[in-house]
Each structure stands twice: as structure tokens, then as C-alpha cells.
Amino acid sequence: MPTLHWVGKNKVVNHHHDVPFRLLDKNYTFTGNEGTPANSTNNKIIHGDNLEALKSLLPEFEGKVNCIYIDPPYNTGNEGWVYNDNVNDPKIKKWLGQVVGKEGEDLSRHDKWLCMMYPRLKLLHRLLAEGGVIFVSLDDVEAANARLLMDELFGYGNFVASIAWEKRYTRSNNAKMFYSLKDTILVYRKTAHLSVLKEGRSEKADSNYGNPDGDKRGDWMSASYVNPATKDKRKNLVYPVVNPAGVSIEHPTHAWKYSKEEYERHVAEKRLWWGQDGTATYPRLKLYLSEASGMVPVDIWAYEETGTTDEGGQEIKDIFGSLVFDTPKPTRLIERALKIATDKNSIILDSFAGSGTTAHAVLKMNAQDGGNRRFILCETMDYAETITAERVRRVINGYGEGSSAVAGTGGGFEFYTVGTALFKEDKNLNEEVGAEAIRGYVAYTENIPSENRWNTENAVSPYALGSTDTALCVFYYEKDRVTTLDIDFLGQLKIKNLPSRPEQFVIYADKCVLDKDFLYKYGITFKRIPRDITRF
């Protein structure tokens, strides 16, 4: 498979491991006004470096996000927008200098963009569920590079579609060559666990069904029974069929689409259509509207169905009274992606949140169908509170006046900032974050399922973290004193309170005075604090 190389790639391939794990500091909780619907309140908006924010989400959300939609900087070179669409933004330049070093001074803007995207996509991949889907909006500046980058990170076999979204419908004659009417949305799945995607049926599609013969099973449409493959290619699908006149026929050159067993079932169920008068040369198969479960998505999204950038801008004007954010995506665009890739209880993540369109779409859909979809927004820029969160607040409570007023969707969210690192630069624990935060981190690194994690009031020990399939995990930690794994500490563990004795024990402490033979005999793995705490 072709791979993409650029200046600085070797410095960012594993950079996601070096990103410090930081806690998320909750600033406030917002809930809708009395009288608005109360569903969809378990949402998050996070202000801070989105790379660090994504890493902070791993303990709670790794492998649990059903749909990711991101609209990263298009890298057009335009630095005059509220949303700085260029990798020369000071925050990105500072990050590149720290990660890539002097080599970063010679990077082209495409090198910089790829350096910026690589570690973020690595973490997004980890957060995505096995049956999850990611949508990445781009224009022609980076779409080709992004396709190769996504192939590398998600796997060529997990490419789903390259959607052409008709973002505008009028051309500008100011362009010197071609004028682009479309953006690209790359779609990838996490794994082959996802094998089918469907979207809801439209009135236009359903209008193709009718019932000219008064079939009791309702409206239907017909599909050809003739296989595109010739007889010599599909010999197992060559057999005579009987028309309404009782005459056996075969197609002169092509096979049928279905096996003989399926044909016999179709005959028994009266699904073959030979025309209104029964004299058609070949049969067609009846497909009933009542059995239609959805439509296969297509990779051209017309503006009539998904809106335009102008529509997105008008939504911002309606909410804020002026265009406080340039080129926002229309809500209908995100809604279409979510209708394809989510259900009523899905978790949706947008790590380039911008004006908050993704949250708007989620709240709107929940209000329409009573769903409980959850959104997580990450925004690096300083407008995370004044634009991103403020838009979400207004959508929840309602906005506009008079005849143009839009009712609130209801819901709520928690607003976080990316906070303190769990480890200091000298690799020791930052004990100021508190014991509970450290316990939660260690439980995650030991792969203890959330349902198997214990609080300090469990029946075994206040130091017990919980259990995996094979081991009981204990974190013997005290902020103000050195802890020692010895016989006395083992005697304090109330193993008899467990339904059965664990096969193995993983015990963290500052030091251990038990010899290796003793540890081996009783199935104990000792891990030193902080040396053996995994950094991920």
C-alpha cells in the first residue's frame, strides 16, 4: 500500500505516547430552562489543546465513541477568520517547535498540517468503537494527503466513502480556472465489525412504489430477474423458469440473479411480476415497501438535502444576531452523517468543534425523536466559551424573537478545561491531583472494566482498585508516607469476602520486602510506584 512521507513525520508518529495525560477540570454545569425537554444532559464541552483533551478522554471513552465528525483546518492560508484556517496559528507553531524541533522551521504548510493531524487521528482511532465511523470534512487543499493518511492510520480496507458535498450552488467568475462547488468528506470505519450502513428512506424514494395489481401486501416496486453475468460465468444460476402461460423459458445469454431454490420460493410467494397482462418476456421480482429497511447512502450530497455554507452562516446569524464565525457547517449536513452512523443512544465526538454545529445537530435530533445521543466537543481556540458553548446554550433554551423564534431543544452539558498533568516532568506522580484521580488512571491502565472498578469502601481493602478476568488489582498508595508491600499488608486484604480467590494479584506500592519466590508462589505481581505505572 502506498504510504505518505513528509518532513517531520518521524517526530510525530509516536508523539501521542508523549502527550501528557491531564485531568479535565469541570468549570460548570449548564441545564436548560424550566419547560424545555430534560433529555440529553450528559454532554461535554472541553476547552484546551484538543490533542491533550483527546488523551484525557481515553480512560472513560476509549472504544466507546460511535461516531466522530471533525472539520479540521482546511489549511487554505487564510488567517483572517475567527477560525484560523492555517497551520501558522501561534498555538500550532508553538506545538510544532516543541515536537518537531528545528526541523519544523523548514516545513511547508502541508508538512505542518500533516504533523498536526497525525497524533490527533491516532487518538481518535483509539476512541472510536469497533463498529464506529469517522467523517472528516476537507477541501481540495489537503483531501489527497488526508486520504493517504487515513489509509495508513485506519487501514485501506476500512475506507468507506469519499463524499462530495455540494457546499454552494452558484459559481464565481472571479476564479481563473475551475471554481469549486464542493467539499470532500472522507468516511472510514474502525473495523470490519461494521459491514452495513443505511440511511432513512425519503419521500422521493418511497414514491417509486405502487400497487398496480392490488397486492394485499401493499405497495411494491420491481427489479430485474436477469443477472448481469453471462451463462458461462454463473452456470449455477442457469435453469428454466415458467411464465404465466406455462411455457418454460431461459434467457438466451445471461443467468438469473437467484438460485433455483430461491426462484421456487419466489413462485410460491407470488413475487414474480410478468407485467400487467402477464406477457412480459422475462420476470421481475417484487420488492415490497413494507420490507424496505433503509437506503444505501450515496457519495454525492446535494445542497437541497444537506444545506450550504451560506445556510450555516445564516444559522449563526439567527442565533447570535451577526456572523460571529466564518463558514460554519450547516446543521443539516451533520444531521445527515449522524442519521447514517448513529442510533438514539450513540456517543458523538467532534474534536475541532468550531461554532458547535455538531452539538446543535445532536440536540436537534434528540428533540425530534426523543433520543439520548451524547456529544463531546473539544475546542482549542479561545472562543470555546463565547461562541461554541454559547451557541449550545442558546440552542438548548431557544433563540430568536417573534415569528422567527426557534424553540429550545432542552438538554445540558458540562464545561471543562484541560487541567493539570498526572505526572510531573521528572516522571513522579503529581500528588496534587488527588488519590481518586490517580486510582482511576491506574485502573484504566490495568484494563479493569468500568463495571469492575471499586471505590475505597469496597469489602476487600480501601486500596483495592477492582478486578480483571484473572487478577485482583491493588494500589497501595498514600500521599504522605512510603508504602511497603509486606506480610502485614497482605494480611489486611480481606480476600475471604470475595466469591472466589483470584488467580493472580497485581499490587502497587512504593517498595516491596517480599522475595521473588514468595511472590511467585502466591501469584503476586509487584509494581513499584511511580516507576511501573503505565504511561499510555
Side-chain angles (χ1 to χ4, degrees):
M1 184 184 76
T3 56
L4 188 64
H5 295 277
W6 67 90
V7 178
K9 181 178 182 179
N10 61 318
K11 300 292 179 62
V12 298
V13 166
N14 293 310
H15 177 64
H16 60 290
H17 294 304
D18 301 327
V19 176
F21 177 81
R22 295 182 180 275
L23 302 178
L24 295 176
D25 296 335
K26 184 161 75 171
N27 290 204
Y28 62 83
T29 299
F30 177 84
T31 54
N33 291 335
E34 186 176 348
T36 58
N39 61 328
S40 187
T41 58
N42 193 14
N43 304 300
K44 299 180 189 294
I45 299 178
I46 304 167
H47 179 209
D49 184 332
N50 60 3
L51 184 59
E52 294 179 337
L54 291 174
K55 191 155 189 177
S56 297
L57 291 170
L58 285 173
E60 184 176 358
F61 292 102
E62 181 169 16
K64 295 181 181 179
V65 175
N66 306 102
C67 178
I68 296 171
Y69 174 86
I70 59 172
D71 184 16
Y74 281 14
N75 202 17
T76 60
N78 189 340
E79 298 182 31
W81 299 355
V82 173
Y83 179 65
N84 194 330
D85 192 30
N86 189 285
V87 287
N88 283 326
D89 176 83
K91 292 183 179 180
I92 294 297
K93 290 177 73 174
K94 181 180 178 182
W95 177 80
L96 285 168
Q98 292 170 341
V99 176
V100 182
K102 286 189 175 182
E103 196 174 329
E105 298 173 6
D106 299 323
L107 301 185
S108 73
R109 65 189 175 106
H110 300 291
D111 295 324
K112 293 175 184 178
W113 189 88
L114 289 163
C115 284
M116 182 271 293
M117 289 297 296
Y118 194 98
R120 288 161 174 81
L121 287 170
K122 289 280 281 191
L123 293 177
L124 288 170
H125 184 269
R126 289 181 63 172
L127 288 161
L128 198 59
E130 290 298 296
V133 182
I134 181 171
F135 296 81
V136 184
S137 277
L138 300 156
D139 70 359
D140 291 339
V141 174
E142 297 293 355
N145 289 333
R147 175 72 186 270
L148 289 173
L149 190 63
M150 298 290 287
D151 283 348
E152 180 175 334
L153 292 173
F154 284 77
Y156 176 81
N158 290 316
F159 169 76
V160 175
S162 178
I163 298 168
W165 168 51
E166 193 177 13
K167 63 182 177 181
R168 57 175 72 95
Y169 53 86
T170 57
R171 75 182 70 197
S172 169
N173 277 327
N174 292 328
K176 294 183 178 179
M177 297 183 76
F178 274 75
Y179 183 68
S180 179
L181 297 176
K182 59 118 176 85
D183 273 354
T184 296
I185 304 175
L186 296 178
V187 187
Y188 282 74
R189 63 185 180 181
K190 173 76 171 280
T191 68
H193 184 80
L194 176 71
S195 58
V196 176
L197 282 175
K198 293 288 181 73
E199 61 182 331
R201 302 194 59 79
S202 65
E203 290 185 12
K204 181 179 179 181
D206 288 350
S207 67
N208 293 321
Y209 289 76
N211 196 355
D213 61 345
D215 194 315
K216 293 181 180 180
R217 288 166 287 192
D219 289 354
W220 54 271
M221 64 183 298
S222 67
S224 173
Y225 219 74
V226 179
N227 200 315
T230 57
K231 287 184 172 182
D232 60 323
K233 299 292 185 182
R234 300 300 302 270
K235 295 179 180 178
N236 60 317
L237 299 179
V238 177
Y239 51 86
V241 300
V242 180
N243 68 17
V247 178
S248 293
I249 62 168
E250 288 188 21
H251 195 281
T253 56
H254 285 65
W256 305 117
K257 285 184 178 178
Y258 307 94
S259 68
K260 187 166 185 186
E261 292 75 15
E262 289 175 293
Y263 161 72
E264 290 171 349
R265 178 171 61 83
H266 293 155
V267 171
E269 295 176 355
K270 298 181 179 180
R271 285 178 175 262
L272 295 187
W273 175 248
W274 293 86
Q276 191 68 48
D277 59 1
T279 61
T281 306
Y282 306 114
R284 295 177 67 84
L285 181 66
K286 284 185 174 182
L287 305 173
Y288 292 93
L289 178 59
S290 60
E291 297 172 349
S293 59
M295 300 170 61
V296 175
V298 296
D299 59 3
I300 297 178
W301 289 5
Y303 75 89
E304 296 96 336
E305 299 171 337
T306 50
T308 63
T309 52
D310 286 345
E311 180 177 312
Q314 187 59 51
E315 287 178 332
I316 290 292
K317 290 180 183 178
D318 292 342
I319 294 169
F320 287 98
S322 62
L323 189 62
V324 299
F325 194 91
D326 297 281
T327 64
K329 295 295 184 288
T331 306
R332 286 198 292 160
L333 175 68
I334 314 302
E335 284 183 69
R336 182 162 187 183
L338 298 185
K339 287 175 181 176
I340 292 171
T342 72
D343 59 32
K344 291 184 178 182
N345 295 301
S346 292
I347 299 174
I348 296 101
L349 169 63
D350 183 347
S351 58
F352 293 87
S355 69
T357 306
T358 297
H360 190 162
V362 170
L363 291 165
K364 185 177 175 183
M365 290 174 65
N366 283 342
Q368 289 171 345
D369 63 15
N372 196 33
R373 299 168 188 85
R374 299 169 59 188
F375 64 78
I376 304 170
L377 304 186
C378 305
E379 180 49 59
T380 302
M381 309 305 286
D382 292 337
Y383 53 70
E385 166 61 29
T386 57
I387 295 179
T388 313
E390 180 60 23
R391 175 182 185 173
V392 178
R393 282 192 288 268
R394 296 188 186 196
V395 168
I396 288 171
N397 283 335
Y399 56 89
E401 297 179 352
S403 60
S404 61
V406 177
T409 62
F413 64 88
E414 294 174 335
F415 189 90
Y416 295 83
T417 50
V418 176
T420 308
L422 192 77
F423 294 95
K424 298 179 179 178
E425 291 186 6
D426 62 5
K427 299 185 178 181
N428 284 313
L429 284 170
N430 178 6
E431 295 182 323
E432 299 306 315
V433 303
E436 274 307 300
I438 298 172
R439 282 172 56 89
Y441 177 91
V442 175
Y444 167 72
T445 62
E446 289 293 342
N447 296 311
I448 302 175
S450 56
E451 62 272 17
N452 292 348
R453 296 179 189 177
W454 303 340
N455 60 33
T456 55
E457 298 178 359
N458 65 81
V460 176
S461 165
Y463 302 106
L465 297 176
S467 60
T468 64
D469 291 339
T470 58
L472 173 68
C473 298
V474 179
F475 188 65
Y476 186 22
Y477 162 80
E478 291 286 351
K479 178 180 178 181
D480 300 321
R481 67 180 177 87
V482 174
T483 58
T484 303
L485 175 55
D486 54 19
I487 293 293
D488 290 339
F489 177 74
L490 291 178
Q492 298 172 22
L493 299 178
K494 300 175 183 178
I495 305 302
K496 63 182 179 180
N497 290 337
L498 292 172
S500 60
R501 188 184 187 280
E503 299 176 18
Q504 300 287 326
F505 296 84
V506 175
I507 302 178
Y508 288 82
D510 292 310
K511 62 180 183 177
C512 176
V513 297
L514 303 174
D515 62 46
K516 292 181 179 180
D517 291 338
F518 182 92
L519 296 174
Y520 179 79
K521 178 179 179 181
Y522 291 100
I524 299 172
T525 299
F526 167 66
K527 293 190 176 183
R528 187 181 301 278
I529 301 173
R531 181 195 65 192
D532 296 330
I533 299 177
T534 302
R535 276 71 160 172
F536 61 86

